[in-house]
Amino acid sequence: MLPVSSPTSANGRLSRKDSGMSSSKQTWKFLRRLYKFKHMDFEFAAWQMLYLFIAPRKVYKNFHYHSQTKHQWARDDPAFLVLGAACVLVSCVLYTIVLKLAFHEFILHLVWVLVFDYIILACAIATAFWFCVNKFMRRPESDATVEWRYSFDVHLNAFLPFLVILHIVQVLLMHAGLEQFGFVRLLSNALWLVAFGYYFYITFLGYFSLPFTHRTVAILYPIGLFAIIFVLSLVFEWHFSKTLHVFVTYRVRT
């Protein structure tokens, strides 16, 4: 059972004191809408996806407006989740073409990425952030807490650029760069650094935008670690794309 989100109090924030029953109902309502495509606002979800690349702060401003009108920070429309799954499908098709996977290997790769990477791993990461932010980054004078579903939305927001950069743009460069080093390796590994940087920056914005959090700058610290790994990869001629190729091939053929 995943932790339920806390309902919003009268001042527009999430109260610990309120019952979680209404939040559970909202979560169930959200899940029931997953197969009601006619009721989803795909145009608005696509707008959010675009602005996550060019102006992610605007996306979180919209979350703030949403909290004022819907009395919750989390999305109530699963359109973003569905479009993200479509991006996963596109990336798996590209992997199949570039790595010359058989049809059954494509299906296995799609299941791995869609079920494990996109859903299960996302829930685990969202839960970790949900716990850490509520435990260490919530202002002590506030009784507000972060909704779990909002943490899941923040992860989806941050994961989208990560997915596009590493599983779509990167895979298009991967085939040509597998056996080459030098500039190709530099460009390829730089994309990894950019992808991880985007992930933690957008995650930081998600929690920084909440009015009851502080010290959220700590979320940006891992970017420095990945910068060090990037430099070491150039020194030791470690090609991230080649490692990814070996990993994907191993996962679908064993």
Side-chain angles (χ1 to χ4, degrees):
M1 177 71 71
L2 294 173
V4 297
S5 57
S6 302
T8 312
S9 60
N11 61 2
R13 299 191 297 181
L14 309 173
S15 175
R16 282 178 151 187
K17 300 177 182 178
D18 295 329
S19 170
M21 184 178 299
S22 60
S23 297
S24 300
K25 290 181 179 179
Q26 290 171 353
T27 300
W28 176 243
K29 182 179 179 181
F30 176 85
L31 293 175
R32 285 190 346 194
R33 294 187 63 184
L34 278 172
Y35 59 89
K36 298 180 179 180
F37 296 102
K38 292 183 179 180
H39 298 163
M40 297 184 194
D41 191 349
F42 289 108
E43 183 178 353
F44 179 65
W47 175 89
Q48 288 186 319
M49 288 182 166
L50 174 63
Y51 272 83
L52 283 171
F53 285 94
I54 61 178
R57 287 179 180 271
K58 288 188 177 182
V59 176
Y60 287 113
K61 283 184 179 180
N62 178 263
F63 272 85
H64 177 74
Y65 300 147
H66 179 81
S67 71
Q68 300 299 313
T69 57
K70 299 290 187 177
H71 305 293
Q72 66 178 46
W73 285 87
R75 292 184 177 99
D76 57 356
D77 185 350
F80 191 97
L81 178 66
V82 173
L83 288 184
C87 292
V88 169
L89 175 61
V90 171
S91 73
C92 290
V93 171
L94 291 176
Y95 265 105
T96 300
I97 296 172
V98 172
L99 298 181
K100 300 179 180 179
L101 302 178
F103 180 73
H104 72 279
E105 293 172 337
F106 160 71
I107 297 298
L108 184 58
H109 178 55
L110 178 62
V111 171
W112 265 109
V113 177
L114 191 59
V115 176
F116 181 78
D117 298 344
Y118 189 58
I119 300 297
I120 297 178
L121 188 59
C123 289
I125 294 174
T127 301
F129 273 107
W130 170 82
F131 174 80
C132 291
V133 173
N134 280 324
K135 183 72 174 179
F136 304 109
M137 300 179 186
R138 184 178 61 84
R139 295 185 182 275
E141 69 274 11
S142 174
D143 64 349
T145 57
V146 180
E147 299 170 272
W148 183 88
R149 281 209 297 120
Y150 179 75
S151 292
F152 186 71
D153 284 337
V154 170
H155 170 78
L156 289 182
N157 292 343
F159 182 72
L160 177 71
F162 185 90
L163 173 70
V164 172
I165 293 171
L166 293 186
H167 290 262
I168 296 180
V169 176
Q170 172 81 356
V171 75
L172 294 175
L173 300 174
M174 190 171 61
H175 183 64
L178 283 176
E179 303 301 332
Q180 301 179 43
F181 296 94
F183 175 74
V184 174
R185 186 184 68 248
L186 173 64
L187 176 61
S188 175
N189 289 4
L191 286 176
W192 283 78
L193 179 60
V194 170
F196 277 106
Y198 249 115
Y199 180 86
F200 286 103
Y201 175 66
I202 293 178
T203 300
F204 158 75
L205 289 179
Y207 294 107
F208 176 77
S209 64
L210 297 176
F212 49 86
T213 57
H214 64 159
R215 298 183 297 197
T216 52
V217 69
I219 297 174
L220 297 175
Y221 292 166
I223 297 178
L225 174 62
F226 284 107
I228 295 173
I229 295 175
F230 169 72
V231 174
L232 292 177
S233 71
L234 301 181
V235 174
F236 294 101
E237 297 186 348
W238 178 15
H239 201 313
F240 293 156
S241 294
K242 188 172 183 179
T243 303
L244 180 63
H245 167 242
V246 172
F247 172 75
V248 171
T249 304
Y250 174 82
R251 192 157 72 166
V252 300
R253 292 178 179 173
T254 56

